[in-house]
């Protein structure tokens, strides 16, 4: 994922706070002057990404059309713009030391009542995601975790209880399996669009 490809181009993009919440499932982060808002994630590949994003939109979550299906490793984090080269170097070293693996998605779960989020569970690949997250969340990206890491793919968020119940029920039988071969670095632009600004192959 390179070349600054846009993740979505909505006519009226959701606010920075809303998109930050979508990437993390918890608290939004707003960058100060001289900072860049970034996230690190495993993008769900096609055709499963389109399926999950379509479901998210169908449940009434407007971010289904603007935030790609993903497993978050580093939630939205504001870093000094001048430190971006360090971030890239750190991710390149970390991913080069990690081997590709397989994720199997199966069934749903929820962070309620702590957070109004319904997600698709990882039936396998969670241990590898946790190790990768632990390796990535070091050095220049060694920010404090607000909650213990729990790999997942969000399918509904910040909706009423009925919509969240529907999401959890209707995707209870969902299954998908895909190989993870790279980690993406995402940056948030002034236009409100998250872009995959770089990709880092696992194993170099």
């Amino acid at each position: 994922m390179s070349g600054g490809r846009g993740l979505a181009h909505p006519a009226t993009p959701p606010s920075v706070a809303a998109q930050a919440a979508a990437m993390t499932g918890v608290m939004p982060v707003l960058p100060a002057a001289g900072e860049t808002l970034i996230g690190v994630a495993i993008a769900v590949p096609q055709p499963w990404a389109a399926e999950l994003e379509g479901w998210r939109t169908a449940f009434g979550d407007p971010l289904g059309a603007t935030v790609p299906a993903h497993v978050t490793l580093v939630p939205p984090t504001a870093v000094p713009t001048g430190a971006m080269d360090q971030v890239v170097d750190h991710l390149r070293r970390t991913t080069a030391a990690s081997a590709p693996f397989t994720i199997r998605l199966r069934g749903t779960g929820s962070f309620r009542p702590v957070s109004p989020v319904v997600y698709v569970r990882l039936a396998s690949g969670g241990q590898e995601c946790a190790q990768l997250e632990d390796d990535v969340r070091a050095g220049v990206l060694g920010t404090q975790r607000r909650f213990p890491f729990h790999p997942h793919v969000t399918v509904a968020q910040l909706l009423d209880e009925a919509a969240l119940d529907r999401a959890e029920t209707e995707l209870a039988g969902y299954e998908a399996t895909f190989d993870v071969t790279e980690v993406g670095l995402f940056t948030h632009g002034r236009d409100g669009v998250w872009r995959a600004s770089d990709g880092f192959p696992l194993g170099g």
Side-chain angles (χ1 to χ4, degrees), residues 71-161:
V71 178
T72 299
L73 297 177
V74 179
T77 301
V79 300
T81 300
M84 287 300 295
D85 285 346
Q86 297 176 47
V87 170
V88 169
D89 288 343
H90 168 66
L91 291 174
R92 184 176 292 117
R93 290 194 304 270
T94 300
T95 54
S98 302
F101 60 97
T102 300
I103 283 179
R104 182 183 180 193
L105 303 177
R106 184 177 63 191
T108 53
S110 175
F111 291 130
R112 293 181 286 176
V114 176
S115 183
V117 173
V118 170
Y119 57 85
V120 172
R121 298 177 181 273
L122 270 67
S124 64
Q127 183 174 353
E128 291 88 346
C129 286
Q131 183 60 61
L132 192 56
E133 186 265 356
D134 190 60
D135 293 341
V136 168
R137 292 286 289 270
V140 68
L141 293 179
T143 56
Q144 184 175 1
R145 296 166 179 81
R146 189 164 182 267
F147 295 108
F149 179 66
H150 184 88
H152 65 280
V153 179
T154 297
V155 290
Q157 180 177 7
L158 302 177
L159 301 173
D160 61 35
E161 288 297 312

Side-chain angles (χ1 to χ4, degrees), residues 15-26:
S15 67
V16 171
Q19 290 203 35
M23 288 287 283
T24 178
V26 286

Side-chain angles (χ1 to χ4, degrees), residues 26-68:
V26 286
M27 294 289 290
V29 178
L30 300 178
E35 293 182 330
T36 298
L37 188 62
I38 69 166
V40 180
I42 296 167
V44 176
Q46 300 296 355
W48 305 282
E51 289 180 357
L52 293 170
E53 291 155 16
W55 275 108
R56 188 168 181 175
T57 300
F59 295 138
D61 188 336
L63 293 168
T66 64
V67 176

Side-chain angles (χ1 to χ4, degrees), residues 159-196:
L159 301 173
D160 61 35
E161 288 297 312
L164 294 173
D165 287 343
R166 178 190 167 202
E168 193 166 3
T169 299
E170 293 197 15
L171 287 179
Y174 185 84
E175 292 193 27
T177 302
F178 56 88
D179 293 329
V180 178
T181 59
E182 76 168 17
V183 167
L185 171 63
F186 299 87
T187 57
H188 192 269
R190 293 182 180 180
D191 56 0
V193 177
W194 281 100
R195 290 185 171 86

